[in-house]
Amino acid sequence: MEMTQIAGSARRGWYHGWNIVAVCVLSQVAANGLTYNAYSLFLRDWSKELNSPVSRLQLPIAGMALVAALLSPMVGALADKYPARRLLGWGLLGMAIFYVAISSVTATWQIAALYAILAPLALCLSTAVTANALISRWFVRRLGLALGLSAFGIGMGGMVLPPVIGALLPTVGWRMIWRGGALVVALLVLPLVVAVARNRPTDSEGNYYLSSDGKGPNAQAHGHGRAAGSPVGWREVASRRNFWLLVAIYLPMMALYGGVGQNLGPYAASHSLSPQSAGALLSVLSFSHVISTLVLGLVSDRFGNRLPFAGLALIMVIGAATLAFGAGFPVLAVGSALIGLGGGLFTLLAAAIAVEFGAAAFGRAFGLCMLFIPFTALAPFATAKTQESTGSYAPALLGLAALVMISGFLSLLLRERRGDDKAASPALSRT
């Protein structure tokens, strides 16, 4: 009876964990918006002004992904050890400096250097690795939903910013857009995130959200105590079969999503569409991404992550085929929407890692998982280079789709614990 009353009171009061989710969303919008989501909209102006082919201008994204991947395990370990407020704050400060620096470039190599040196650490600190580790400390129940809402930060920036940037570019210019972004991050986003972020609930706070209701594969102990068993090290993470399956599942999906997203501006131009239409396609892709993060978060809480991963792979394959063979804005919008749904893969990935390793080791495991992102970093470059060589995006799209189909089959091999499993903690037991 007493425990029921505690849970009931937790239900009635506003849980600060949802404020944590909100500032994680804000941080990721600020960090990803210009850096990644709207990147393809600047390619045409950069290509003309800096006298550089579009394929070469795709390489800075690859360089950033490579360095960020190498830094992710370190940032993951920091996220398990140090206050998230500090990590997010330094990351956002770094992003503001990066935005100012990009607005002043005069050569392609400078963009590449800034994306390889300054952007990766700031991006890692202010986005998914830190944010998801923080959220995993605030939620067991509704974890999938919380992670899905947090992933808004990646999709929301791409949904809101591209149409605005597409409209402003002809009149304001790309340099002023980057400088304005720096001011917003430094003066608005950073102070708000630092003020709200708190590393974990108090002992009496959030009993409802830090307990299990015994329903669904994700409803189990997540190692939320300060000392939930012995620490999980790198070797323990790398020894899990599910860890390597998750790596093999998410990489092809991310490659297809990135290959399309970072080429959508030039792809639209190759179909004789205007910059405004290109911005609209990016907005469609990101809106679909946002919807996917929410839906997949709810589905993960109810059904786990194996079948949603398989369904997501099938949807992305259909989207790639639509873009490969389609023509006209309505058809391309449908293809963009289907690929955009693939952006929700990080909701499933984070939920699966939280179930497998628990909150105490989430940062380390998620960071190590991000170490493999360089295998996808060249997908935008390869997609652009294929178009320059063959005159069509279809070969690259269909090749990536074949890899995603394989990842869909691999997802069926995941072993997920059910709510009635007797394992003491996912951080200590093996599958």
Side-chain angles (χ1 to χ4, degrees):
M1 176 65 71
E2 182 179 353
M3 291 302 295
T4 302
Q5 291 173 347
I6 292 176
S9 64
R11 288 174 190 265
R12 289 192 296 269
W14 176 257
Y15 184 43
H16 187 70
W18 297 117
N19 299 334
I20 297 295
V21 171
V23 294
C24 286
V25 170
L26 186 61
S27 180
Q28 293 183 94
V29 169
N32 281 298
L34 295 181
T35 310
Y36 185 81
N37 295 122
Y39 186 84
S40 69
L41 294 181
F42 300 108
L43 293 178
R44 184 157 62 175
D45 286 345
W46 285 348
S47 181
K48 292 178 180 178
E49 186 171 332
L50 305 178
N51 193 27
S52 180
V54 170
S55 60
R56 185 180 301 168
L57 287 166
Q58 293 285 9
L59 292 177
I61 289 288
M64 181 184 71
L66 173 61
V67 179
L70 295 175
L71 292 173
S72 289
M74 178 191 73
V75 173
L78 293 176
D80 287 336
K81 185 176 181 180
Y82 294 104
R85 173 189 290 135
R86 187 183 307 171
L87 301 181
L88 291 171
W90 282 111
L92 288 169
L93 179 61
M95 292 311 304
I97 296 171
F98 170 72
Y99 281 11
V100 172
I102 285 290
S103 74
S104 304
V105 300
T106 57
T108 302
W109 72 265
Q110 295 170 359
I111 296 177
L114 288 170
Y115 263 84
I117 298 172
L118 183 54
L121 180 58
L123 200 67
C124 285
L125 288 172
S126 57
T127 57
V129 176
T130 303
N132 289 342
L134 176 60
I135 289 170
S136 73
R137 291 193 287 270
W138 282 82
F139 291 88
V140 170
R141 193 174 298 185
R142 304 293 182 263
L143 175 64
L145 176 59
L147 291 170
L149 287 168
S150 174
F152 255 37
I154 301 173
M156 185 76 82
M159 183 179 71
V160 174
L161 290 177
V164 176
I165 291 173
L168 291 177
L169 266 176
T171 54
V172 176
W174 62 271
R175 294 184 189 275
M176 288 305 298
I177 290 174
W178 284 87
R179 289 166 187 165
L183 288 175
V184 170
V185 172
L187 301 181
L188 296 178
V189 178
L190 192 157
L192 183 58
V193 170
V194 170
V196 173
R198 182 149 52 87
N199 212 43
R200 62 176 70 250
T202 62
D203 292 337
S204 60
E205 188 177 21
N207 290 295
Y208 173 70
Y209 290 100
L210 293 179
S211 62
S212 169
D213 59 4
K215 298 177 182 178
N218 294 350
Q220 54 182 307
H222 271 58
H224 279 266
R226 288 174 173 78
S230 59
V232 176
W234 302 115
R235 183 177 300 179
E236 170 71 6
V237 171
S239 69
R240 301 289 183 90
R241 174 179 181 271
N242 275 357
F243 174 81
W244 293 107
L245 278 174
L246 289 170
V247 169
I249 290 165
Y250 94 85
L251 288 180
M253 294 184 181
M254 185 177 177
L256 177 55
Y257 182 87
V260 170
Q262 296 308 315
N263 283 283
L264 206 48
Y267 172 86
S270 73
H271 284 73
S272 302
L273 298 177
S274 67
Q276 289 77 16
S277 296
L281 288 178
L282 277 170
S283 184
V284 167
L285 181 141
S286 295
F287 177 76
S288 190
H289 178 164
V290 169
I291 296 301
S292 177
T293 60
L294 283 178
V295 172
L296 290 177
L298 293 169
V299 170
S300 173
D301 282 336
R302 182 65 181 86
F303 300 106
N305 306 295
R306 179 174 55 188
L307 293 180
F309 263 132
L312 192 59
L314 179 59
I315 289 171
M316 294 187 74
V317 168
I318 295 172
T322 302
L323 292 177
F325 301 114
F329 182 84
V331 174
L332 302 187
V334 170
S336 298
L338 294 176
I339 294 296
L341 292 174
L345 72 92
F346 281 102
T347 298
L348 296 178
L349 179 64
I353 288 174
V355 170
E356 182 71 19
F357 295 99
F362 179 94
R364 189 180 297 267
F366 191 83
L368 187 61
C369 198
M370 296 298 99
L371 181 64
F372 299 92
I373 284 181
F375 289 103
T376 73
L378 290 177
F381 169 78
T383 302
K385 196 65 176 178
T386 299
Q387 192 279 332
E388 292 171 356
S389 301
T390 67
S392 172
Y393 285 99
L397 289 171
L398 295 177
L400 290 171
L403 295 176
V404 172
M405 182 64 75
I406 294 173
S407 75
F409 285 114
L410 290 176
S411 67
L412 298 176
L413 301 178
L414 282 173
R415 298 172 181 170
E416 293 191 300
R417 298 179 188 82
R418 310 299 298 187
D420 57 354
D421 281 354
K422 301 301 183 182
S425 168
L428 301 176
S429 61
R430 296 176 182 270
T431 53

